[in-house]
Amino acid sequence: MVKSSPLGVTTLALGATALAFAATAAQAADSKPIVIGIPIGLSGANSVVAPSVVQSAELAVEEINAKGGVLGRKLALEVADDASGAAGAQKAFDSLIYQKKVDVLISMETSAARNAGLPAVTKGKVPYIYTSFYEGHSCNKNMFVNAWVPEQQVPPVVDAFKAKGAKTYFLIGSDYAFGRGMLGFTKNYVEKTGGKVLGEEYLPMDGSDWTAIISKLKEAKPDALITSTAGGAPNVTLTKQLRGAGVALPFANLALDEGTAKSMGADADGVYLSASYVTGIDSPENKTFLAAMQKKFGAELRTPNDLSVPEYEAIYLYKAAVEKAGGTETAKVLEALPTVSVTGPRGTIRMSKQHHAPLTMYLGQIQKDGTVKVAGTFKDVDPGEQCPKLP
């Protein structure tokens, strides 16, 4: 017969208390929201498009939470202004990762901001879904990309201009990684397909006077113009000044989203863009998405575009990865991310090609009312060799 001593009773009581505390802590962890961090340019060059990105994220979170969340946990958003640049991004990423303790980062960024934030992503060991089109070949084991790269976006533009008889081109960009990366690829593609680049000019990110560059463009007399400026304000200033200078040659902007184009009014009329999303995509998923956005935001709705829709889909991709992983543990989520897919406004998206996604691309032309007329559709365009050394 075993007798209980006072010490034994005390020990058992303490053990029961510890177990109860552990169970309570586990329940608290299970009920704690899954926090999505959104570092984004609420100020600076990206401030034109950032509100539409945040709106897409808000809709995705609302929809998911209304259906019970993810593994029984609600989603929550933490938004931090990165001022559209490197210095701001370092602060925004650090704040979200180390102070707000977010579970994942999902956002579009300028290339400078992305590159400045990646060290914190690595050190903080959080997943990062980058939702912005960019110049390509940015590789990090924690980062996945569900937007286009030059191999997917440039050929439809150059091929269309070539079919219209263009042989010579002039290139204009913002002087940062995206601008130079996009136009560097464009120049190579133009020359590889038999064309010639007569000039390649850049203006600093914070510059707004394109007069000297436009003068060089007019002197060169190219058959077509292709630009790659920072998304948002530089698109507006350059296009306005081109129109003011009477430039009327075939013109494509590699960084123009549909929302910004609408804000430009008559200046955008006739400009070509190449995108993985336009509002005119005729699919049940896109129609449902647009209706939900209109219902939620009404008169405050910012035009969904090729920078905001990938944000919406990326949150669903993260949801699928967490559910497959059985939780938010980074290593398991990263293992799951390239194996899951979602079907959304752009179609079925899977980040399976070296942390990038094959995408259907649309060649569009801006109309007088700001809408985009689809001039060509290119199914499941491969992103090419982006990050072959990633595990």
Side-chain angles (χ1 to χ4, degrees):
M1 180 177 178
V2 177
K3 294 182 179 180
S4 297
S5 67
L7 178 60
V9 171
T10 302
T11 302
L12 288 171
L14 287 172
T17 301
L19 288 171
F21 178 80
T24 302
Q27 290 172 353
D30 288 341
S31 62
K32 179 183 176 184
I34 297 172
V35 184
I36 298 170
I38 302 181
I40 195 167
L42 298 176
S43 61
N46 279 345
S47 60
V48 174
V49 72
S52 67
V53 176
V54 175
Q55 284 186 345
S56 286
E58 290 172 348
L59 177 63
V61 166
E62 180 181 273
E63 290 177 341
I64 291 168
N65 285 345
K67 294 180 179 179
V70 181
L71 299 179
R73 297 169 63 185
K74 297 292 187 181
L75 297 180
L77 297 177
E78 283 284 351
V79 182
D81 183 14
D82 66 20
S84 303
Q90 288 179 328
K91 295 177 182 178
F93 276 67
D94 285 350
S95 172
L96 291 169
I97 293 171
Y98 301 120
Q99 296 175 26
K100 300 298 184 180
K101 306 292 185 182
V102 301
D103 295 286
V104 63
L105 294 171
I106 303 177
S107 190
M108 58 85 58
E109 300 275 358
T110 65
S111 293
R114 178 197 68 244
N115 291 337
L118 278 174
V121 170
T122 301
K123 184 177 179 182
K125 298 179 180 178
V126 296
Y128 176 27
I129 303 180
Y130 183 56
T131 63
S132 177
F133 50 72
Y134 83 114
E135 69 282 356
H137 305 284
S138 182
C139 305
N140 183 291
K141 66 178 184 179
N142 287 24
M143 184 176 77
F144 286 79
V145 183
N146 74 336
W148 55 252
V149 291
E151 288 86 342
Q152 294 165 303
Q153 198 242 8
V154 171
V157 170
V158 175
D159 292 351
F161 283 177
K162 182 179 179 181
K164 292 178 180 293
K167 297 180 180 179
T168 59
Y169 297 78
F170 199 93
L171 311 179
I172 299 176
S174 292
D175 193 4
Y176 75 125
F178 175 78
R180 287 190 175 273
M182 290 300 299
L183 293 187
F185 181 91
T186 301
K187 182 178 181 180
N188 289 338
Y189 189 80
V190 165
E191 293 175 345
K192 185 175 73 173
T193 54
K196 184 177 181 180
V197 173
L198 301 181
E200 183 178 350
E201 297 290 334
Y202 297 89
L203 194 70
M205 278 274 287
D206 57 355
S208 59
D209 185 358
W210 300 87
T211 306
I213 290 176
I214 293 174
S215 293
K216 292 180 180 180
L217 163 68
K218 296 177 79 171
E219 289 173 6
K221 295 183 173 61
D223 296 325
L225 167 66
I226 298 177
T227 67
S228 181
T229 43
N235 286 331
V236 178
T237 59
L238 173 57
T239 307
K240 186 177 184 65
Q241 290 172 40
L242 284 166
R243 296 314 192 200
V247 175
L249 70 165
F251 169 23
N253 187 328
L254 301 180
L256 184 61
D257 66 277
E258 193 170 349
T260 303
K262 278 195 172 182
S263 74
M264 291 160 60
D267 290 335
D269 183 22
V271 176
Y272 285 87
L273 57 78
S274 179
S276 64
Y277 178 80
V278 292
T279 54
I281 293 174
D282 186 13
S283 70
E285 292 81 10
N286 187 44
K287 291 176 181 177
T288 299
F289 166 74
L290 291 173
M293 290 291 287
Q294 184 63 53
K295 181 179 179 181
K296 179 172 176 59
F297 296 105
E300 301 300 316
L301 175 64
R302 302 297 185 98
T303 303
N305 56 75
D306 209 21
L307 288 166
S308 69
V309 172
E311 178 78 14
Y312 174 84
E313 293 169 338
I315 291 175
Y316 275 95
L317 282 164
Y318 178 68
K319 171 184 181 290
V322 169
E323 289 172 342
K324 184 167 185 177
T328 58
E329 183 183 335
T330 293
K332 292 182 179 179
V333 170
L334 292 177
E335 184 178 348
L337 273 171
T339 70
V340 298
S341 66
V342 298
T343 300
R346 295 186 298 164
T348 300
I349 310 296
R350 182 193 294 270
M351 298 176 292
S352 57
K353 181 67 185 290
Q354 300 170 9
H355 289 207
H356 288 67
L359 298 169
T360 295
M361 300 297 296
Y362 301 89
L363 177 67
Q365 187 176 31
I366 308 297
Q367 306 298 293
K368 289 182 179 180
D369 62 356
T371 60
V372 177
K373 178 182 178 181
V374 176
T377 302
F378 308 84
K379 293 286 188 181
D380 299 324
V381 182
D382 195 293
E385 293 294 301
Q386 294 296 322
C387 301
K389 294 183 180 179
L390 282 174

